[in-house]
Amino acid sequence: MTLLRSTSRPTDRIVVPRRAFLALAGASAGGAALVPSPSASADPSGPFVPPGEMFTLGVASGDPHPDGVVLWTRLAPDPVAADGLGGMPDRDVNVAWEMAEDEGFARIVRRGVERARAEEAHSVHAEVKGLRADRVYWYRFRAAGQISPVGRTRTAPARGAALNALTFAFASCQSFPAGHFTAFEHMAREDLDVVVHLGDYIYESGGAGSIGRAHLPAAEVFSLADYRVRYGQYKADPALQAAHAAAPWIVAPDDHEVENNWAGDHSQPDDEPDQDPEVFRRRRAAAYQAYWENMPLRRSSMPDGPEMQVFRRLAFGDMLQLNVLDTRRYRDRQLQDPAGRWDAQRQMLGAEQEAWLLEGLGASAARWNVLANQVFSFEADHEAGEAVRYGMDTWDGYAAARQRLFDGVHRRGVENFLVVTGDAHRSVAADLKLDFSDDASPVVGAEFLGTSISSGGNGSDSDALGKVWLEENPHMRFHNKQRGYQVCHLGRDAMRTEYKVVPYVDRPGAPIETRASIHVESGRPGIAQVED
């Protein structure tokens, strides 16, 4: 599973590899014709004349298992129609899908039909089973005579299967008004087994920005219709569609999918601090519903009002156990007084999720044990000199909960413990210490904080906070504040995280480069080498 290097030549348009995103004409003419099953032809709602091109939001796949994967699309002739229905009528539509072992669809292995329901924004979540482990497949959809773009996906290796290598990318934070999604254009050209998205897939705020990518609707979103419009705007972006079509994704929300810095049943602390939690729960229900409708998630993650099952575990042979966390729903509210951050009663994950995580880590036989985590867990003193200052929205505001987690990892002898994180719009590679105040304290693992796709604008190689972080926090080994994504190459003896960055996002066509490569050796906790 070698890495296919991305081009560093600027381009005026998005160019996606043929394997990842075939044109409609090529898809329909390249192999066996798509023949829907009888149930697809006999639509119980009667003949349907589409009001326009329906597959405007592309295709995606996700949550790969050894025997199957979720296939996603959403019918939306007008993705930003103000009523949130994507330009579709108020009726259900049959959507046929098929999977093949080749991109020309000469060797079709599975077919099926899903009902795109109006109450679910005409989204499709086909949970395909009966596939071979660790195999590449191509897939497409058809509805009312229209055929979708083609996506490429891959099943997970069989549980416990001996692997020599595995490659995944992780990313987060893609503000539409803040910049172009050029990094996703380059990600689509990588040779990846899977992509992990760590949240802030959309931003809930209003704002026009300064580059001609104003949010729709123009104001902050609260209703289900408005959240649907916002997803329609984001998912119509061709670079984002290309990255989805190139590999399966594993996704989890952070805060901006609902509201900035929300916690548990509480709205953000600086906005209506005395708001009735029931009012916020209704908003979260709308946000969760729109999130699920637009992500390649299984039915097990379908929301029930304001509740959604986010934390889950996926295995990739004997190489990777990936623990997807939910660091928003079960946390206590952010502190106003940092003196309480060591309160043992305070929760980041909640008791159930914390126990589930530690039990799974303790029982893992995987070579690499990775947390897909939304806010950074390393300690980050923000103040130069003897004074200290910590952010209250990250694990620093929940120091006792972090200590329980790291103590649990240390007691259980969890090897090759890694954390991948988003949210901060900057990159850091850091050792995770059992006691950050003691230089001699054991290192329990390493964390890779990844920068944003576009949030924060163009960025820079460094800034004042980055310099303070490196000076005041000796466990931090690398810092950068440019935009981009990260690629993790896992092997039996070592792993390498490449920080991929673009020089600008205020206009399209930025090249990509590897800013740094961070190495971890198997059996030796923490960072072994930084190629900066």
Side-chain angles (χ1 to χ4, degrees), residues 325-345:
L325 302 187
D326 183 344
T327 60
R328 287 288 162 191
R329 173 63 189 92
Y330 308 105
R331 65 159 69 188
D332 286 301
R333 204 167 190 182
Q334 294 93 338
L335 291 167
Q336 300 301 309
D337 181 359
R341 70 193 196 98
W342 283 99
D343 181 350
Q345 301 303 311

Side-chain angles (χ1 to χ4, degrees), residues 466-483:
K467 293 175 182 177
V468 170
W469 273 15
L470 290 175
E471 292 170 358
E472 298 297 319
N473 304 279
H475 49 279
M476 296 186 187
R477 305 286 300 278
F478 166 76
H479 173 273
N480 175 268
K481 200 176 179 293
Q482 292 170 286
R483 308 282 78 88

Side-chain angles (χ1 to χ4, degrees), residues 41 100 110 140 149 214 240 247 297 326 383 403 421 433 437 486 501 503 508:
S41 301
R110 287 290 182 273
R140 61 188 179 186
L240 178 56
L297 287 164
D326 183 344
E383 199 74 38
Q403 195 64 55
T421 303
K433 298 179 70 66
S437 66
Q486 299 67 230
V501 300

Side-chain angles (χ1 to χ4, degrees), residues 43-380:
D43 193 320
S45 300
F48 172 61
V49 178
E53 170 52 48
M54 295 186 293
F55 294 105
T56 60
L57 302 182
V59 299
S61 65
D63 275 16
H65 291 178
D67 67 339
V69 68
V70 179
L71 305 182
W72 174 93
T73 193
R74 180 182 161 206
L75 308 181
D78 182 2
V80 295
D83 61 5
L85 299 180
M88 289 290 289
D90 187 17
R91 60 158 288 176
D92 299 346
V93 178
N94 276 2
V95 179
W97 57 266
E98 66 180 356
M99 298 191 74
E101 293 180 331
D102 66 304
E103 58 185 329
F105 287 81
R107 300 189 302 277
I108 295 171
V109 295
R110 287 290 182 273
R111 283 192 177 101
V113 177
E114 295 290 324
R115 195 81 167 142
R117 303 187 183 279
E119 65 186 22
E120 297 173 1
H122 294 96
S123 60
V124 174
H125 301 75
E127 298 188 25
V128 184
K129 297 181 180 180
L131 302 176
R132 296 183 181 182
D134 202 14
R135 294 290 292 268
V136 171
Y137 293 94
W138 284 261
Y139 62 94
R140 61 188 179 186
F141 299 88
R142 178 181 173 180
Q146 295 185 10
I147 191 167
S148 76
V150 169
R152 176 184 182 271
T153 191
R154 187 176 194 131
T155 52
R159 186 174 294 274
L163 302 182
N164 291 320
L166 186 88
T167 300
F168 71 90
F170 69 95
S172 66
C173 303
Q174 53 212 48
S175 170
F176 195 85
H180 292 269
F181 297 168
T182 312
F184 280 135
E185 174 189 346
H186 294 289
M187 183 189 288
R189 299 189 182 104
E190 303 272 9
D191 186 16
L192 302 171
D193 294 293
V194 70
V195 174
V196 180
H197 196 283
L198 298 170
D200 294 348
Y201 191 98
I202 65 163
Y203 279 69
E204 83 292 0
S205 59
S210 60
I211 61 171
R213 285 166 64 92
H215 262 153
L216 295 174
E220 185 170 350
V221 296
F222 292 88
S223 69
L224 176 57
D226 285 351
Y227 277 110
R228 284 170 168 171
V229 171
R230 188 62 56 83
Y231 278 101
Q233 179 183 37
Y234 276 59
K235 294 191 75 69
D237 186 277
L240 178 56
Q241 288 190 23
H244 270 299
W249 283 39
I250 298 169
V251 302
D254 189 18
D255 56 340
H256 286 289
E257 287 87 353
V258 181
E259 181 189 34
N260 183 45
N261 287 352
W262 69 276
D265 283 334
H266 298 282
S267 179
Q268 61 179 339
D270 57 346
D271 180 20
E272 301 184 58
D274 298 321
Q275 185 184 78
D276 182 354
E278 274 306 311
V279 174
F280 177 70
R281 285 170 62 84
R282 287 195 292 272
R283 182 182 188 182
R284 191 173 74 223
Y288 275 178
Q289 178 67 23
Y291 182 79
W292 184 81
E293 290 169 351
N294 286 279
M295 294 295 117
L297 287 164
R298 296 179 180 273
R299 287 272 166 182
S300 57
S301 292
M302 185 177 183
D304 181 8
E307 307 300 335
M308 181 169 69
Q309 184 64 44
V310 171
F311 69 86
R312 60 202 188 277
R313 182 174 293 122
L314 295 97
F316 294 80
D318 69 345
M319 184 64 70
L320 170 63
Q321 177 181 280
L322 183 68
N323 302 275
V324 181
L325 302 187
D326 183 344
T327 60
R328 287 288 162 191
R329 173 63 189 92
Y330 308 105
R331 65 159 69 188
D332 286 301
R333 204 167 190 182
Q334 294 93 338
L335 291 167
Q336 300 301 309
D337 181 359
R341 70 193 196 98
W342 283 99
D343 181 350
Q345 301 303 311
R346 285 176 53 73
Q347 298 282 347
M348 171 63 92
L349 303 177
E352 178 186 354
Q353 184 180 190
E354 187 176 294
W356 163 88
L357 175 59
L358 287 172
E359 180 181 359
L361 288 171
S364 175
R367 178 63 55 121
W368 301 96
N369 295 284
V370 178
L371 307 192
N373 169 63
Q374 287 77 40
V375 292
F376 61 77
S377 65
F378 54 72
E379 186 172 88

Side-chain angles (χ1 to χ4, degrees), residues 403-425:
Q403 195 64 55
R404 287 195 305 271
L405 173 59
F406 288 3
D407 284 345
V409 167
H410 186 62
R411 283 198 306 270
R412 288 167 175 78
V414 179
E415 292 192 348
N416 299 333
F417 176 66
L418 305 174
V419 181
V420 295
T421 303
D423 179 70
H425 309 170

